[in-house]
């Protein structure tokens, strides 16, 4: 029954065009063929004549390393050929990391060490405020990307599923923000440089996610990210004019 269920699921995903060749991004009917008795054979792409997804045989650690190296094949495997559904939780955790970093920097700039309850509540409110600001900035960045892509290529994001897939790809590719916490905990003289490298790494990952999801060249994703950053910085400037510490 389990094997039958897996075959039904496989056919359903193939009908939706869920499987993709990790080399050429063409739609594939299946990732492997099951000859029973434990005999499996990876399917060959009819377009490029290469294995549809070699990563189904790889250890998750190897896949993670390839994703960190921003290899397009690893991104296609994760986005199209797996059932990973942690983008929402990952987004929340990344925002918490960013809020904690900003909150910590805000506390370092404050010289008030009064242990009074009112002060502690104020500091707790500061953390919630930083989380809200980080969330709005992230939302502005994503909106800027979507608007740019829609404006440059009207045929690119035609359906709701296209928007959802791109959103999922962008949220998953922001996993580099998790490095903010270790960078702060192991604080040293080069922490500002580390934070800058993390920011660049996240942007590179976002660019690769856009490129892989929409099958684009390298220029258009970077243009979308550039306008996304402009939109995000506009929100930051608005906060500063309101007198908020960002």
């Amino acid at each position: 029954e389990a094997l039958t269920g897996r075959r039904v699921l496989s056919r359903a995903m193939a009908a939706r065009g869920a499987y993709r060749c990790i080399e050429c991004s063409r739609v594939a009917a299946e990732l492997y063929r099951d000859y029973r008795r434990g005999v499996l054979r990876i399917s060959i792409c009819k377009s490029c004549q290469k294995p549809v997804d070699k990563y189904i045989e790889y250890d998750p650690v190897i896949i993670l390393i390839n994703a960190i190296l921003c290899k397009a094949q690893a991104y296609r495997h994760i986005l199209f050929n797996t059932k990973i559904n942690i983008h929402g939780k990952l987004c929340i955790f990344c925002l918490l990391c960013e809020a904690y970093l900003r909150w910590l920097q805000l506390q370092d700039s404050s010289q008030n060490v009064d242990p009074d309850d009112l002060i502690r509540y104020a500091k707790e409110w500061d953390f919630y405020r930083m989380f809200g600001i980080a969330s709005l900035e992230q939302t502005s960045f994503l909106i800027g990307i979507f608007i740019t892509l829609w404006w440059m290529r009207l045929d690119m994001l035609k359906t709701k599923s296209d928007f959802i897939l791109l959103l999922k790809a962008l949220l998953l590719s922001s996993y580099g923000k998790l490095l903010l916490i270790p960078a702060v905990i192991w604080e040293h003289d080069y922490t500002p440089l580390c934070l800058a490298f993390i920011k660049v790494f996240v942007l590179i990952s976002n660019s690769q996610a856009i490129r892989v999801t929409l099958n684009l060249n390298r220029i258009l994703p970077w243009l979308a990210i550039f306008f996304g950053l402009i939109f995000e910085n506009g929100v930051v400037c608005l906060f500063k004019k309101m007198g908020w510490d960002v």
Side-chain angles (χ1 to χ4, degrees):
E1 293 181 1
L3 181 59
T4 302
R6 187 171 62 181
R7 287 175 176 171
V8 171
L9 177 62
S10 177
R11 285 194 290 267
M13 292 182 68
R16 298 198 310 266
Y19 292 139
R20 297 284 185 90
C21 173
I22 63 171
E23 301 293 341
C24 64
S25 195
R26 294 295 180 91
V27 175
E30 56 187 3
L31 298 179
Y32 60 87
R33 182 157 295 179
D34 190 348
Y35 292 96
R36 299 184 179 180
R37 296 181 181 178
V39 179
L40 301 177
R41 181 183 179 186
I42 297 179
S43 300
I44 302 299
C45 178
K46 296 180 181 179
S47 177
C48 64
Q49 300 302 314
K50 294 181 180 180
V52 172
D53 192 345
K54 61 183 180 181
Y55 285 114
I56 61 176
E57 292 185 319
Y58 283 32
D59 187 90
V61 176
I62 303 298
I63 299 174
L64 177 61
I65 292 174
N66 280 265
I68 292 174
L69 295 174
C70 291
K71 290 191 174 182
Q73 293 89 342
Y75 273 71
R76 291 190 183 103
H77 167 77
I78 294 171
L79 294 174
F80 297 117
N81 300 337
T82 63
K83 299 289 288 183
I84 293 179
N85 194 30
I86 62 170
H87 51 284
K89 296 178 181 178
L90 180 63
C91 175
I92 296 298
F93 196 72
C94 288
L95 289 174
L96 287 172
C97 292
E98 195 165 353
Y100 175 75
L101 174 63
R102 298 184 182 199
W103 177 79
L104 200 62
Q105 291 173 338
L106 183 63
Q107 301 310 309
D108 289 342
S109 64
S110 175
Q111 301 300 322
N112 196 332
V113 292
D114 191 341
D116 187 80
D117 288 344
L118 183 61
I119 300 300
R120 289 203 300 271
Y121 291 148
K123 290 182 177 180
E124 184 178 349
W125 166 247
D126 284 337
F127 176 79
Y128 297 144
R129 181 164 59 89
M130 290 302 166
F131 180 82
I133 292 174
S135 301
L136 287 174
E137 288 182 6
Q138 174 79 355
T139 303
S140 302
F141 176 69
L142 295 175
I143 290 175
I145 289 177
F146 279 107
I147 290 176
T148 303
L149 292 173
W150 180 81
W151 178 65
M152 290 184 173
R153 295 276 297 273
L154 294 176
D155 61 332
M156 193 179 303
L157 300 170
K158 296 180 291 186
T159 64
K160 180 181 178 181
S161 60
D162 293 334
F163 279 95
I164 293 175
L165 180 61
L166 181 56
L167 178 61
K168 176 182 176 181
L170 288 169
L171 294 180
L172 287 176
S173 63
S174 298
Y175 67 92
K177 292 182 179 180
L178 299 177
L179 298 173
L180 291 173
I181 297 299
V184 172
I185 292 176
W186 298 321
E187 185 177 1
H188 50 71
D189 295 337
Y190 300 103
T191 296
L193 183 61
C194 291
L195 297 179
F197 276 127
I198 291 173
K199 178 69 173 178
V200 172
F201 174 73
V202 171
L203 293 178
I204 292 174
S205 299
N206 292 155
S207 172
Q208 190 71 309
I210 297 173
R211 176 174 171 245
V212 166
T213 305
L214 301 178
N215 199 24
L216 302 173
N217 57 28
R218 297 180 183 273
I219 298 177
L220 192 54
W222 277 111
L223 284 176
I225 287 177
F226 175 74
F227 285 107
L229 289 173
I230 292 178
F231 207 77
E232 178 185 349
N233 288 328
V235 173
V236 173
C237 292
L238 178 62
F239 286 147
K240 288 182 177 179
K241 286 185 178 180
M242 294 171 61
W244 288 19
D245 293 324
V246 179

